[in-house]
Amino acid sequence: MTDLSHLPGRATDRLRPVGRSTGEPVARPRRRLRLPFSPWHLLLAPLALLFAVPLIWLGLSSVMSDAEINRFPPALWPSGIHLGGYRFVLGNAMFPRWFANSLIVSAVAVFSNLLLGTLGGYAFARMRFGGSRVLLVLMLATMAIPFQLTMIPTFLVMRKLGLVDTLGALIVPSLVTPFAVFLLRQFFLSLPRELEEAAWIDGCSRLRVLFQIVVPLSRPALSTVAVLTFLTTWNDLSWPLIALNHDANYTLQLGLTTFRGQHHTQWSAVMAGNVITVLPVLLAFLAAQKTFVRSITSTGLKG
């Protein structure tokens, strides 16, 4: 057995066994407290709840009576389930028509933005032609112009086309937006060119490359464009208020304003109608939530 008596005291202390033979307690490593969720959730959960308060109160007030809604201080919890507002809204003969009008306008706007935005975005991303940079800058500059400045010119154009007081007056200005073209252009720039070049070598045309190779890879960006276009068109009130006159052509947002009278407002019906209006938007966002987040994280500002 090796003699360790000649070693310094500190070295022999290191080699001395620790435990029952020395009578000293064994030092146990400290365990880190690990949460079953990210620490960021401690901050994000209260913020999410704060932003959800108006939506929660909207759902609760939709099952209140008008007396409870008009009471001061306002009731925070319904005394019972009152479905009078839903019966009034669903029993209105024009409500299904308004819902269908909003659905038609939003569906056409989503489809046209996906199609035309894809063609325009791919042209700006992959094709080089004279004035492409200037045209792109001019298109993006239109995003800085407020709606109040373009409202009257747009109305005059729709009147020349004979589309005033029709659904066409809502569809034509929303066929394609600069945001859709720009977002899809940025996403196309992030895709490798080698995939397209390999397809060109195999004899594919440019349109075939676009719709069979580029578009399937661009589902996150397309989902984002679809959700945002649907959200904007579905919730639009200002332009339908200007372009439509007869209640048969009203959209859902414009039709809900008729529930408010000059001397009396049926707030339970207004709240119930708003709940029905919000549901399609929530379902659309939840259906495309993962691809929406992927698009925001993967789409940069590459020039």
Side-chain angles (χ1 to χ4, degrees):
M1 186 173 181
T2 306
D3 185 10
L4 301 177
S5 59
H6 65 281
L7 295 176
R10 291 182 180 179
T12 55
D13 291 341
R14 290 186 194 138
L15 297 175
R16 185 180 300 169
V18 178
R20 294 181 180 177
S21 59
T22 60
E24 299 177 359
V26 179
R28 296 182 179 180
R30 294 182 179 180
R31 294 184 179 180
R32 283 187 174 183
L33 179 61
R34 293 192 176 184
L35 299 175
F37 49 83
S38 174
W40 281 103
H41 290 175
L42 297 176
L43 174 63
L44 297 178
L47 289 177
L49 182 60
L50 180 63
F51 283 106
V53 166
L55 187 61
I56 295 173
W57 187 83
L58 175 65
L60 293 176
S61 59
S62 67
V63 294
M64 293 181 184
S65 61
D66 288 338
E68 288 180 311
I69 297 176
N70 294 324
R71 191 176 66 186
F72 185 83
L76 299 179
W77 193 263
S79 59
I81 304 298
H82 302 277
L83 301 179
Y86 288 96
R87 284 193 293 266
F88 180 86
V89 170
L90 298 177
N92 192 317
M94 298 303 299
F95 187 83
R97 180 69 177 269
W98 298 338
F99 192 92
N101 290 341
S102 294
L103 192 61
I104 292 172
V105 173
S106 301
V108 174
V110 168
F111 177 78
S112 63
N113 272 273
L114 291 178
L115 178 61
L116 300 179
T118 298
L119 295 174
Y122 186 76
F124 281 116
R126 291 290 189 257
M127 301 174 64
R128 292 292 178 264
F129 51 90
S132 60
R133 291 281 183 179
V134 176
L135 186 60
L136 178 62
V137 172
L138 291 176
M139 183 194 67
L140 294 179
T142 60
M143 298 176 62
I145 301 176
F147 169 73
Q148 288 77 10
L149 295 181
T150 61
M151 180 175 56
I152 296 177
T154 304
F155 180 82
L156 295 177
V157 172
M158 293 300 105
R159 190 177 66 176
K160 289 291 184 180
L161 296 176
L163 298 177
V164 175
D165 200 21
T166 64
L167 295 182
L170 308 182
I171 293 174
V172 172
S174 304
L175 287 178
V176 63
T177 59
F179 174 77
V181 176
F182 176 70
L183 181 64
L184 292 173
R185 172 189 178 270
Q186 298 306 114
F187 193 88
F188 293 155
L189 289 175
S190 65
L191 298 178
R193 288 178 175 267
E194 289 76 9
L195 297 175
E196 303 171 44
E197 293 173 354
W200 291 337
I201 294 175
D202 291 339
C204 292
S205 63
R206 189 177 290 274
L207 284 179
R208 189 176 178 183
V209 169
L210 172 61
F211 288 105
Q212 292 190 359
I213 296 178
V214 177
V215 169
L217 296 175
S218 306
R219 290 178 182 176
L222 294 174
S223 300
T224 302
V225 171
V227 171
L228 295 180
T229 303
F230 181 82
L231 179 64
T232 303
T233 309
W234 183 269
N235 291 330
D236 190 16
L237 174 62
S238 301
W239 178 239
L241 185 62
I242 298 170
L244 302 178
N245 297 323
H246 294 88
D247 56 355
N249 297 323
Y250 283 0
T251 57
L252 197 54
Q253 298 291 342
L254 186 57
L256 290 178
T257 60
T258 61
F259 294 160
R260 299 185 59 181
Q262 183 176 1
H263 303 288
H264 177 69
T265 300
Q266 297 178 343
W267 287 111
S268 60
V270 173
M271 298 302 178
N274 284 323
V275 169
I276 298 175
T277 304
V278 167
L279 283 178
V281 178
L282 288 178
L283 294 177
F285 178 76
L286 292 177
Q289 182 179 7
K290 292 183 178 180
T291 53
F292 182 85
V293 175
R294 284 174 54 194
S295 173
I296 297 300
T297 57
S298 60
T299 302
L301 297 176
K302 183 178 179 181

